C-alpha cells in the first residue's frame, strides 16, 4: 500500500495540472453548465488530438439574432444545430453523406470515423434564410421541434418536420452519436451533453472559433483569453466527458 504522503502528493500534482490547463479545473464544468442553464454561451475546446478547435456553443432554444451575430462575428465558423440521435431518428434525418449520390462524397475525415452532417435547412417562414433573423428563427424552431420529440417521440415526425422546414437551407443540422459522449466526443456530443445536463431541449448550436490573422482554428490559449475578456465560461472537452459520462 502506498503511503498517505505519496497519495496526497499525487492528488496535489493532479490538482496543479488541472489548474495549469484553462478549462480543466473542476469548477469549469459547473460554470459552463450554469451558463448553459441560463441560456448563455460557453467556449468548448474539444481535444488537441481531435479537431483541436474551440467552438462557441449555445443551447439552441436560447438563440436570438444577437447570438447569431455573436457567433458570426466572434467565432466565424459554420453555425450548426446539433440534435440528439433520438430526435434525428424522429425527424428521419439522414447523414448527409448517406443521402448524396455523387462521386465527390467521401465521409472519412482525419479527425473521426465520420462527420455528423445531416440536412441544411431553413424554416419555412424565412426569406433567404441567411440573415441573423432568419437563422435565429430556424434555430429556435429546430429546438422547439426537438423539445417536442423529447417530450413524446411520436409527437413530431418527418411530415411535421417537412411542414416546418425546407432543404436545402442555411442552418446545418448535425446528428448526435447514438451513444452520446460514449460513442463520440465531438462538439456535437459535447453540446448535447450539456443540454441534457441542464434539462434543455436536445439541441445545441456550435460554431468554430477562427483566428482572424491566420485563418486557422483559434488556439486554446487565445480562445480562453477571449472567453475571459468576455466573461464566457471556457471548458475543456475532457472535463465535460469526465463529468457527464
Amino acid at each position: 500500500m502506498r503511503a498517505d504522503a505519496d497519495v496526497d502528493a499525487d492528488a496535489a500534482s493532479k490538482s496543479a495540472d488541472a489548474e495549469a490547463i484553462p478549462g480543466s479545473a473542476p469548477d469549469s464544468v459547473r460554470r459552463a453548465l450554469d451558463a448553459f442553464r441560463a441560456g448563455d454561451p460557453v467556449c468548448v475546446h474539444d481535444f488537441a488530438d481531435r479537431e483541436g478547435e474551440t467552438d462557441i456553443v449555445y443551447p439552441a432554444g436560447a438563440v436570438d439574432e444577437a447570438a447569431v451575430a455573436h457567433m458570426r462575428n466572434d467565432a466565424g465558423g459554420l453555425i450548426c444545430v446539433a440534435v440528439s440521435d433520438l430526435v434525428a431518428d424522429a425527424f428521419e434525418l439522414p447523414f448527409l453523406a448517406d443521402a448524396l449520390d455523387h462521386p465527390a462524397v467521401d465521409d472519412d475525415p482525419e479527425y473521426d470515423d465520420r462527420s455528423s452532417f445531416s440536412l441544411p435547412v431553413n424554416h419555412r417562414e424565412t426569406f433567404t434564410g441567411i440573415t441573423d433573423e432568419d437563422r435565429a428563427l430556424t434555430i429556435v424552431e429546430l429546438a422547439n421541434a426537438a423539445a417536442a420529440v423529447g417530450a413524446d417521440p411520436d409527437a413530431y415526425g418527418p411530415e411535421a418536420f417537412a411542414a416546418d422546414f425546407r432543404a436545402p437551407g442555411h442552418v446545418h443540422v448535425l446528428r448526435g452519436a447514438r451513444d452520446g459522449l460514449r460513442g463520440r466526443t465531438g462538439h456535437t456530443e459535447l453540446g448535447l451533453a450539456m443540454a441534457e445536463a441542464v434539462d434543455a431541449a436536445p439541441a445545441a448550436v456550435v460554431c468554430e472559433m477562427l483566428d482572424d490573422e491566420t485563418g486557422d482554428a483559434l488556439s486554446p490559449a487565445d480562445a480562453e483569453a477571449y472567453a475571459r475578456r468576455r466573461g464566457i465560461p471556457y471548458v475543456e472537452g475532457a472535463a465535460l466527458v469526465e463529468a457527464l459520462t
Side-chain angles (χ1 to χ4, degrees), residues 68-204:
V68 174
H70 173 216
M71 290 182 281
R72 176 169 55 78
N73 289 312
D74 286 15
L78 194 62
I79 298 174
C80 302
V81 176
V83 299
S84 70
D85 178 75
L86 174 69
V87 170
D89 277 351
F91 295 166
E92 294 187 8
L93 291 179
F95 284 104
L96 185 59
D98 295 341
L100 296 176
D101 181 15
H102 191 279
V105 174
D106 180 6
D107 194 15
D108 187 24
E110 293 184 9
Y111 59 85
D112 209 333
D113 293 335
R114 72 175 305 161
S115 68
S116 296
F117 282 99
S118 184
L119 298 181
V121 302
N122 289 338
H123 191 268
R124 289 191 178 273
E125 293 182 5
T126 62
F127 182 47
T128 66
I130 193 59
T131 64
D132 293 346
E133 180 180 11
D134 278 357
R135 281 194 279 183
L137 174 61
T138 297
I139 289 166
V140 168
E141 291 303 325
L142 283 168
N144 291 339
V149 173
D152 180 359
D154 297 322
Y156 192 100
E159 293 80 10
F161 186 86
D164 289 339
F165 302 94
R166 64 180 186 271
H170 293 83
V171 175
H172 286 271
V173 180
L174 309 176
R175 283 191 62 122
R178 189 169 300 278
D179 296 328
L181 287 175
R182 292 180 176 84
R184 187 175 183 271
T185 54
H187 284 103
T188 297
E189 290 74 26
L190 293 166
L192 289 170
M194 288 196 295
E196 182 179 10
V198 302
D199 294 324

Side-chain angles (χ1 to χ4, degrees), residues 1-13:
M1 181 178 293
R2 300 172 63 196
D4 289 345
D6 292 336
V7 175
D8 291 344
D10 280 354
S13 176

